[in-house]
Amino acid sequence: MEEKILKLKEQLENELSKVQDAAELESIRVAYLGKKGCITELLKGLKDLSDEEKKSFGQKVNLLKGEVSAKIDDYKVKLAEAEVLKEIEAMPEFDMSIPANLERGSYHPITLVQRECEKVFKSLGFVVEDYSEIVSEYECFEALNIPKHHPARDMQDTYYLENGQLLKTHTSAAQNAIYRKYKDALINEGKPIKAIFPGRCFRNEATDACHENTFFQMEGVMVGKDINISNLIFFMKTMLSEVFQRDIKVRLRPGFFPFVEPGFELDINCLICGGEGCPSCKQSGWLELCPCGMIHPEVLKAGGIDPEEYTGFAFGLGLTRLAMMKYGVKDIRDLNSGVLKSMEQFTDGE
Ligand code: PHE
């Protein structure tokens, strides 16, 4: 019996040393440890032995069983390692001379339009500010002369967070912070506040080709001594003519926003028909582009600025709208779709 065990061990070593792959290893496992395997047979043979022999031999066979199964497991690991090494060796060496894959992403049309607007406004002495997407109710409404329960709040269906803050519904929500940041330079050094602040806005809208719950605006404010509406018209006309690379006509119509007085809707002449009237401009020759107005005295006050001494204008340019016009995007939802191919077509892979 002892001899049998020794022999089996030797035989196993021998067989294992020749194993090439997992399938061969598995057949060895079955041959030794399977239901009809030789070790299982040895255990079955125990029943013909005396009690004394059963005990000592049984122990040895069980030990052998443990050893064999551990050896086979070891081999399994070794085989797997050898497999990986083989794969690594088969890999081609890294070749720096192979040309790169030139398929690159492109800037988003909104990013492109935003940058163009920023460039123009910077050249006119405006600073570009960034602001949080999560703001307080105060910043989004109260500081803008929209008290709680005022019907004007219904104009912007708002996403509230559990902590009482909200996703900003318009970039105007940053106005208060901007006034506070620059008011000292205005009051003490006489430096007018000239800032633009682009940003993502959110409203609980049912989406269709013209409406999205997530869109971009660019707010602009200028506050100083004797700032008036003709300053606003000049800056808007200059910026838009630059962005569209042609002379843009603008007109103002009255518009209501609680944070401006007077308030306007700024229209531009339709770029598709040139002003003659077409389906895009509903035959009017004009496109609504940018609400704006003179900053309401209450809003200046909330920002720490004396409305008796200073005046200013504010506008809320629809960047998403502008990008759609510039690149001829017909469905606003394309802009948030994340489909790179559809983005590229507007930007020539720029
Ligand atoms: N915040 C306004 C809106 O999103 C637009 C606006 C900005 C109007 C600045 C006037 C002045 O509806």
Side-chain angles (χ1 to χ4, degrees):
M1 277 294 189
E2 299 269 332
E3 244 174 65
K4 243 187 185 171
I5 289 182
L6 273 177
K7 251 208 172 130
L8 269 181
K9 278 191 183 173
E10 252 173 51
Q11 191 188 319
L12 177 71
E13 286 294 342
N14 195 15
E15 286 176 17
L16 283 179
S17 66
K18 290 180 194 147
V19 164
Q20 299 280 345
D21 57 33
E24 281 178 26
L25 189 68
E26 178 60 12
S27 60
I28 292 179
R29 199 189 61 77
V30 173
Y32 283 78
L33 301 168
K35 265 191 194 154
K36 290 184 182 153
C38 51
I39 293 177
T40 321
E41 290 298 321
L42 274 182
L43 284 168
K44 277 185 197 160
L46 286 178
K47 67 176 187 313
D48 303 326
L49 300 179
S50 68
D51 278 358
E52 193 70 1
E53 282 172 317
K54 246 186 218 163
K55 210 176 168 193
S56 76
F57 191 62
Q59 256 179 5
K60 283 180 184 147
V61 178
N62 271 325
L63 263 175
L64 174 71
K65 195 178 166 188
E67 272 175 43
V68 169
S69 115
K71 271 229 161 84
I72 291 177
D73 285 348
D74 271 3
Y75 254 82
K76 220 180 201 167
V77 175
K78 269 188 205 150
L79 269 181
E81 282 171 359
E83 203 68 18
V84 173
L85 277 178
K86 238 199 248 166
E87 266 177 41
I88 292 175
E89 270 163 29
M91 272 193 210
E93 266 188 37
F94 180 64
D95 183 350
M96 291 210 312
S97 66
I98 295 175
N101 178 358
L102 290 177
E103 224 181 281
R104 289 176 302 161
S106 57
Y107 283 116
H108 196 284
I110 294 179
T111 306
L112 293 173
V113 168
Q114 179 182 325
R115 287 188 180 176
E116 274 179 55
C117 296
E118 285 176 5
K119 209 167 99 191
V120 181
F121 275 109
K122 270 199 231 166
S123 75
L124 298 169
F126 283 71
V127 290
V128 183
E129 286 284 341
D130 195 12
Y131 204 66
S132 166
E133 287 173 1
I134 296 175
V135 297
S136 65
E137 265 201 301
Y138 176 79
E139 290 171 298
C140 202
F141 299 121
E142 276 112 75
L144 293 167
N145 197 31
I146 315 175
K148 272 198 170 68
H149 312 299
H150 191 283
R153 287 214 186 174
D154 296 344
M155 288 160 74
Q156 303 181 352
D157 200 348
T158 309
Y159 291 113
Y160 282 87
L161 307 181
E162 276 170 9
N163 65 4
Q165 289 187 298
L166 48 93
L167 298 182
K168 72 170 187 275
T169 54
H170 53 174
T171 40
S172 307
Q175 279 193 23
N176 191 259
I178 303 286
Y179 299 144
R180 295 190 168 281
K181 180 169 173 183
Y182 292 106
K183 74 172 170 27
D184 290 341
L186 170 72
I187 296 164
N188 303 331
E189 298 160 42
K191 273 192 192 160
I193 302 176
K194 291 165 87 178
I196 52 167
F197 26 111
R200 201 194 311 257
C201 304
F202 310 84
R203 286 183 204 175
N204 183 17
E205 299 252 4
T207 60
D208 61 28
C210 313
H211 296 90
E212 249 291 14
N213 50 27
T214 307
F215 54 94
F216 286 79
Q217 290 186 338
M218 194 174 78
E219 192 91 355
V221 293
M222 180 168 182
V223 182
K225 288 221 187 261
D226 304 324
I227 303 296
N228 58 48
I229 207 72
S230 53
N231 298 113
L232 167 68
I233 296 171
F234 166 79
F235 283 116
M236 293 312 287
K237 207 170 142 55
T238 309
M239 189 275 292
L240 292 168
S241 300
E242 198 69 36
V243 168
F244 288 105
Q245 295 287 304
R246 55 182 121 155
D247 190 40
I248 299 284
K249 285 200 197 96
V250 302
R251 76 168 184 190
L252 296 182
R253 284 177 296 119
F256 171 71
F257 302 92
F259 34 94
V260 282
E261 181 57 41
F264 306 103
E265 291 286 355
L266 182 140
D267 298 338
I268 61 172
N269 57 321
C270 178
L271 301 173
I272 293 156
C273 63
E276 276 158 31
C278 70
S280 290
C281 59
K282 297 188 192 118
Q283 307 302 332
S284 72
W286 294 95
L287 290 170
E288 191 178 310
L289 186 70
C290 178
C292 53
M294 298 305 293
I295 302 164
H296 196 286
E298 288 302 324
V299 175
L300 287 176
K301 252 193 244 168
I305 296 167
D306 180 1
E308 297 291 329
E309 214 171 317
Y310 302 99
T311 52
F313 66 73
F315 62 84
L317 184 67
L319 271 186
T320 299
R321 192 97 195 269
L322 201 57
M324 288 174 77
M325 274 191 211
K326 173 143 187 185
Y327 293 107
V329 182
K330 297 225 162 51
D331 191 323
I332 190 171
R333 292 166 295 190
D334 281 340
L335 294 168
N336 284 349
S337 68
V339 180
L340 297 181
K341 275 278 164 251
S342 70
M343 290 296 100
E344 263 166 30
Q345 64 180 321
F346 308 129
T347 59
D348 298 331
E350 249 179 89

